[in-house]
Amino acid sequence: MSDLLRRLRASRDDGFTLVELLIATGILSLILLGVGGLMFSTTVTQRTVTAVSQSASSAQTAADEIHTLLRNAAEFRLTAVDGTDQLLLARVAGTGTTASYTCKAWYYAADEHQLRSSTWPVAGSTTLPTSATSVAGWSLLLDGVGPRTGTTVFAPPVGGTIEVAFEVESDDRNEPTAIQFTAALAGGPGGGTTCWD
């Protein structure tokens, strides 16, 4: 009987066999591979959602700015610059109790796929841009922007309204964020102000 007990104790102290270790390692590897794949997929999805969200947020912020300022515009002018580039100028009323105005301009650079803006006082003067390179110092509102249809972002004004329609790319894999709105202008096409003369 003591011989049998010695053999049983010895077999328990031997540990795992090589086959058992290989099977356990294979199962653990499959589990880790699944968890790693899930983490990679989650990271890619999170990056995509972030890119689309940032694109949509930037596009909406730019659209809100343009829409609000155009609604407060006493007068405006839309001109084509350097081929398919566009310049939209507006003399915008302030929000104070006394009448005060500033000049606001938006420049759509078609080849660069950018929308830029600048503001200056009515009493001040600025050189109006003649190409996309002349607005390099202006604030960049949107990058990766293009027209929804055709070649223009700003449609020529009709009946006191102006239509703005553009798309903004978020990345190469997703649909662009589309923005389209019509702003009713307080004023009309004009000249004779210090904003553009």
Side-chain angles (χ1 to χ4, degrees):
M1 178 80 136
S2 67
D3 191 36
L4 179 61
L5 284 173
R6 256 184 278 163
R7 275 191 275 158
L8 283 173
R9 279 191 195 135
S11 67
R12 273 190 272 152
D13 292 337
D14 288 343
F16 295 109
T17 65
L18 181 60
V19 173
E20 290 171 333
L21 286 174
L22 288 174
I23 290 172
T25 302
I27 291 171
L28 184 61
S29 296
L30 288 174
I31 291 170
L32 289 176
L33 187 62
V35 169
L38 181 63
M39 288 180 66
F40 178 76
S41 175
T42 301
T43 301
V44 168
T45 302
Q46 184 265 337
R47 285 183 184 162
T48 300
V49 167
T50 299
V52 170
S53 177
Q54 285 176 344
S55 171
S57 178
S58 296
Q60 190 60 50
T61 300
D64 287 345
E65 174 192 306
I66 295 168
H67 187 254
T68 300
L69 292 175
L70 283 178
R71 279 194 352 239
N72 292 327
E75 56 186 341
F76 64 92
R77 181 163 81 177
L78 176 63
T79 58
V81 180
D82 194 28
T84 55
D85 290 2
Q86 290 183 292
L87 176 65
L88 178 60
L89 295 152
R91 187 167 60 105
V92 180
T95 57
T97 56
T98 59
S100 64
Y101 294 92
T102 57
C103 299
K104 185 70 180 183
W106 298 274
Y107 189 94
Y108 167 62
D111 291 340
E112 289 78 10
H113 305 286
Q114 294 179 338
L115 185 60
R116 293 186 173 269
S117 71
S118 183
T119 305
W120 63 93
V122 171
S125 64
T126 188
T127 304
L128 295 182
T130 56
S131 67
T133 56
S134 60
V135 296
W138 288 22
S139 299
L140 179 63
L141 281 181
L142 294 171
D143 199 13
V145 67
R148 288 209 61 205
T149 59
T151 59
T152 61
V153 168
F154 305 110
V158 176
T161 63
I162 187 166
E163 184 176 346
V164 180
F166 57 85
E167 295 180 339
V168 180
E169 296 290 331
S170 58
D171 58 26
D172 294 336
R173 297 179 306 259
N174 294 296
E175 290 293 318
T177 300
I179 299 287
Q180 184 170 353
F181 63 89
T182 302
L185 303 164
T193 69
T194 55
C195 282
W196 49 73
D197 289 335

